[in-house]
Amino acid sequence: MASRLISVDRWAAGSQVYFLTHLHSDHADGLSSSWANGPLYCSRLTAKLFPFKFPEFNLSLIRVLPIGSWHSLSLLSPSGSEMHLQVMAIDALHCPGSVMLVFRGEFGCLLYTGDFRLEAACERARRSRNMLLGALEDQVVDIIYLDNTYCNPSYDFPPRQVAANQVVNIILSHPEHDVIIGIDTLGKEDLLYHVARVLKIKIWVWPERLRTMHLLGLYDIFTTNTSLTRVRAVPRYSFSIETLEALNKIHPTIGIMASGLPWLKPGLQMSKTFSGSFLTSRSKRAPGRANCEFRSDRQSGNTGALERLHEYIYSVPYSDHSNFAELKEFVKLVRPNNLKGIVSSSSCCTEPMYLGRHCGIKQPAKQLHMNHTSKGSIEREVAVSTKASFLNDDFVESESKRQKTLKVKSSGFRSSKFRALRRMSRGAKIWEHNS
DNA sequence: GCGATCAGAT
DNA sequence: CACATCTGATCGC
């Protein structure tokens, strides 16, 4: 049906142009060094980081989209005529290089937010909002494709600035401890930078991550020398109770997980908050252990929960996705005719519709995530609602990317032991100069 | 042996 | 009850 002229964060063949909103692997996977399906548009910073993630990639395919200016494209429409459209990238403040995309053309005006967070009090976010409003001028956004990751009123967490200060306070209250902070391959640099600046310390990162920091222009505060600092940012997958227990045999150490848990409004489902989280580990489940003494420092209101999850581990509600209130404000600002979520998961499957009601959008029965089984009919709906068939399938497919299949798992003892050993060996890198 | 893909774990 | 990312198994080459 639809000819799929454009793909966003989707890499199957068949489109004429491709857009990458940011370099997190759940958006970039499918790309590879051998990928050559068409020109790939991304922000300048993403383009700079790109060869680090895909060393063999044919860089001649990459097109830089400058932030804040319209870029014109001519595509061949299914009927064989030339189709003109324009696209603008706007800083999404999700991770370095992340952008949202505004498309306009004979099909109307579409806004694809990608993953984003524009906090109310943030100056850089204010610039993005203004840029967006300037781009829209008097145009109506026909469809907003929204980062609905936390599009549910129960997701209520503070601005990143607040959470960053919580991290600072936790470190300050443990003056004799080493500290590890779990991070991913990209993102949370602002948090680390804030911690380093306020505490006037350097932060250890692993060598690959240091190279990323340098690509981002951060040269001074990060080091791979553990003797220079007591604060280390470690890969999230090596951040575990086992790691902390091992580290504590050598030196008192606390772990801080920035994000990692859903942050529910006080009073909502608190009893199950910790089940199934990253803290679910074999040692935690061992009977008779006193290592699950959750102390809730949750304050009233929504200033954000500071949770001590474990004698060594704190969780801080630091999120690079918008919370519900922010999503609501954003949709009110954009006032789209139609609203669709880009993430499909159990907690937000019907929430775009809910958000639309909150924001006064008159929304026909077209929302995308009624359930996961009616995708075919959804695609037909979208084809109608966009007035033109050229974007449709790929947007829809990008939304179904993160669908999870629930399966019964069987993990063998051998593999778990192997994993533990592997973690230890990675941990050894973490404390190499201490032991 | 290698890359792509998937399941599973964290 | 999330996200992002890693490993290992499997498959096709």
Side-chain angles (χ1 to χ4, degrees), chain A residues 68 122 133 247 320 359:
Chain A
C122 170
L133 290 179
L247 287 169
D320 288 320
C359 302

Side-chain angles (χ1 to χ4, degrees), chain A residues 35-99:
Chain A
W35 188 89
N37 289 336
L40 195 168
Y41 289 84
C42 62
S43 67
R44 185 170 302 284
L45 189 48
T46 295
K48 187 174 181 184
L49 295 165
F50 200 92
F52 190 63
K53 191 164 176 106
F54 301 103
E56 308 295 319
F57 196 89
N58 177 3
L59 294 180
S60 70
L61 293 171
I62 293 187
R63 309 276 188 276
V64 170
L65 269 183
I67 303 285
S69 56
W70 287 107
H71 180 85
S72 294
L73 288 173
S74 282
L75 306 178
L76 209 56
S77 74
S79 62
S81 60
E82 211 174 20
M83 171 186 272
H84 300 283
L85 65 124
Q86 293 179 303
V87 57
M88 185 190 289
I90 295 172
D91 187 3
L93 280 77
H94 170 69
C95 71
S98 67
V99 289

Side-chain angles (χ1 to χ4, degrees), chain A residues 140-173:
Chain A
V140 174
V141 171
D142 297 293
I143 307 176
I144 182 171
Y145 295 85
L146 189 73
D147 172 15
N148 58 319
T149 304
Y150 294 123
C151 189
N152 182 306
S154 57
Y155 289 126
D156 179 41
F157 41 83
R160 283 172 287 195
Q161 184 65 44
V162 172
N165 284 324
Q166 292 178 355
V167 172
V168 168
N169 289 332
I170 292 168
I171 297 172
L172 282 175
S173 64

Side-chain angles (χ1 to χ4, degrees), chain A residues 25 51 53 79 103 112 166 191 253 296 310 326 409 419:
Chain A
S25 60
K53 191 164 176 106
S79 62
F103 296 91
Y112 191 96
Q166 292 178 355
L191 167 64
T253 304
S296 177
H310 177 271
E326 290 159 354
K409 61 162 172 67
R419 262 176 240 283

Side-chain angles (χ1 to χ4, degrees), chain A residues 222-287:
Chain A
F222 297 102
T223 176
T224 53
N225 184 345
T226 50
S227 66
L228 294 181
T229 179
R230 67 184 178 101
V231 177
R232 307 192 293 273
V234 304
R236 182 154 59 162
Y237 63 86
S238 72
F239 184 106
S240 68
I241 289 175
E242 286 93 338
T243 302
L244 265 299
E245 287 177 345
L247 287 169
N248 271 278
K249 289 184 176 127
I250 299 160
H251 188 88
T253 304
I254 58 166
I256 301 175
M257 205 57 204
S259 93
L261 286 176
W263 312 276
L264 299 174
K265 262 192 164 146
L268 292 176
Q269 291 188 2
M270 283 307 292
S271 63
K272 289 200 157 189
T273 297
F274 305 108
S275 65
S277 77
F278 71 96
L279 284 175
T280 304
S281 75
R282 286 156 197 90
S283 65
K284 175 187 164 187
R285 272 186 255 113

